[in-house]
Every structure is written in structure tokens, then in C-alpha cells.
Amino acid sequence: MNWIWYVLLLQALLAFFVAGGLYYRHSSFKNRSVSMLMLLFGCHILIYIAGATGFTTLFPSFYLWFYFEVALLLGPMLFLHLQTMLYGKEKLMWYDAFHLVPVVVYWIGFGDVLVLPGAERVTYNELHFLDRTMLWNYLLAAQMTIYLFGHIVLIFRSKNNVENPSALLKFSIENTGFAHPPRAQYDSADPVEISPYEQDALPVGPPGDRHATAL
């Protein structure tokens, strides 16, 4: 395995470690929304590694699972976190469940493939990648675009209360659908939270080959 995969694996493990620290350090919804973002970033990196290194070929039971689910949750989770930062959102409301609709639609529309035995699922995807699997890539791209516009609206509606709205907008654009975890800033006096102004420059999206892209 190329050394870059070890770097990415270390990054994913660090994301999980930080997510746990953020979750248990302070019980505010702001901190826990950051924790969930870090958890999703870590999962997305692991899924990328699994697809790009052939792990799912060796263990086909995992083939096509989790990539779309995790990717479809990144935009909503960042949207919720922006609400905590900009508008002081303190808890989930019943209508926040609508953020899960794309995941449910994916399970309903692609569930017949996901429940196939691993080897059959691999073969089916080989034969129907363009007419079945690619449709969900289009859905994911559309969902990411919608949430990006939602993030922009949230930011510009509160730009008078934000010191650097352009940096926050850059943070939103870079983290909508592409999992490269932001660095955590620790402060002994205040709850730990992610700075929107410091970003790693390592994008992790769907791998280039079609098998990994569909992971």
C-alpha cells in the first residue's frame, strides 16, 4: 500500500479521536455538531481508502455500502453546524429529520442492489454502473449543490455578525461533499470547536476508477 494511504489512515484515525474529544468535552449542540462532522470526515476518508486500495474487492460484503450515505450527510451536518455558529441553534428540531430524506430515497431506490450478496453486487455494478449507480452520483452532486447554496444564504444573511464571511464561505465550499478534515483548535478556557479559518489542503473525494467511485 502506497505511503499516502497510511497518511490518510492516520488522518481518519485522528478525525475519530478529535470527534470523541469534542463530543465528550462539552455538551453544547455546537460542539457536538462539530464532532459529528469530524466523524463523517473520518468515515469518508476510510471509505475512500477502502475503494482505492481494493479492500472492497477482497471483502465484497462492503461493496457499495456507506459511501453515498456518508456523503449525503456531509452537507446537512455542515448546514446544522453553520446554524449553531451563526444563529445560536441549540438543539435538533423535528423538521431537521428532513435532512435525512436523500439517504432514505437512496436506500429505497438502490436497496435492491445493496441487499445482494457481495459477489453478486460487484457483478451487478459492473453491468449496470451507468444506468443505476451513476444516477446516485448525480443525486449526490445535486444535493451538494443545493446545500452549498443553503450555506451561502445562511452566511450572507448573517454577514454583519461575522468577522470574516468570505473565509467562512470558503470553509463551506471546501467542505461540502469533499472530506478533508479541518484542524481542531484547543483552548483550555473555551469549548473546543473547529476553526473555519484553518483548513487542511488535502481533498478526499470519490476515487477515480469507477469501482471506487461507487463505493
Side-chain angles (χ1 to χ4, degrees):
M1 189 163 67
N2 195 297
W3 65 269
I4 189 64
W5 307 126
Y6 291 105
V7 174
L8 290 174
L9 179 61
L10 180 62
Q11 190 177 28
L13 294 177
L14 180 61
F16 293 143
F17 177 78
V18 173
L22 291 170
Y23 187 87
Y24 289 107
R25 182 181 176 111
H26 197 275
S27 61
S28 69
F29 184 59
K30 179 185 291 187
N31 263 51
R32 293 194 167 176
S33 65
V34 177
S35 174
M36 291 304 299
L37 269 176
M38 292 302 296
L39 180 64
L40 290 172
F41 289 150
C43 290
H44 204 52
I45 294 172
L46 284 183
I47 292 167
Y48 176 85
I49 295 172
T53 58
F55 175 86
T56 52
T57 302
L58 296 175
F59 302 93
S61 295
F62 296 97
Y63 191 73
L64 290 176
W65 272 99
F66 305 120
Y67 169 71
F68 285 107
E69 291 92 329
V70 171
L72 287 168
L73 289 174
L74 283 169
M77 200 65 244
L78 183 54
F79 185 85
L80 292 173
H81 180 57
L82 286 175
Q83 287 184 308
T84 70
M85 289 180 59
L86 302 175
Y87 301 98
K89 185 181 181 71
E90 296 180 351
K91 62 180 180 179
L92 290 172
M93 305 300 290
W94 66 268
Y95 47 79
D96 290 321
F98 286 108
H99 291 298
L100 299 176
V101 168
V103 176
V104 175
V105 170
Y106 169 67
W107 282 340
I108 294 173
F110 205 60
D112 60 313
V113 179
L114 296 177
V115 298
L116 290 173
E120 291 184 30
R121 202 180 315 135
V122 173
T123 302
Y124 184 90
N125 188 61
E126 286 276 353
L127 298 173
H128 298 279
F129 180 81
L130 293 178
D131 61 294
R132 289 295 305 271
T133 310
M134 274 304 297
L135 294 176
W136 302 105
N137 280 309
Y138 298 144
L139 170 67
L140 176 58
Q143 189 241 28
M144 291 185 336
T145 302
I146 291 170
Y147 272 98
L148 177 58
F149 279 108
H151 300 159
I152 293 172
V153 170
L154 287 180
I155 293 168
F156 276 91
R157 283 180 58 187
S158 61
K159 64 181 179 180
N160 294 331
N161 300 321
V162 179
E163 290 184 7
N164 195 340
S166 60
L168 190 58
L169 179 60
K170 179 174 179 287
F171 167 76
S172 178
I173 293 173
E174 290 180 348
N175 288 278
T176 302
F178 296 93
H180 45 295
R183 291 192 291 269
Q185 290 188 329
Y186 291 89
D187 189 308
S188 58
D190 298 316
V192 181
E193 57 185 294
I194 298 301
S195 168
Y197 310 109
E198 289 189 33
Q199 302 297 308
D200 288 338
L202 183 61
V204 179
D209 68 288
R210 72 177 190 175
H211 303 301
T213 302
L215 175 65

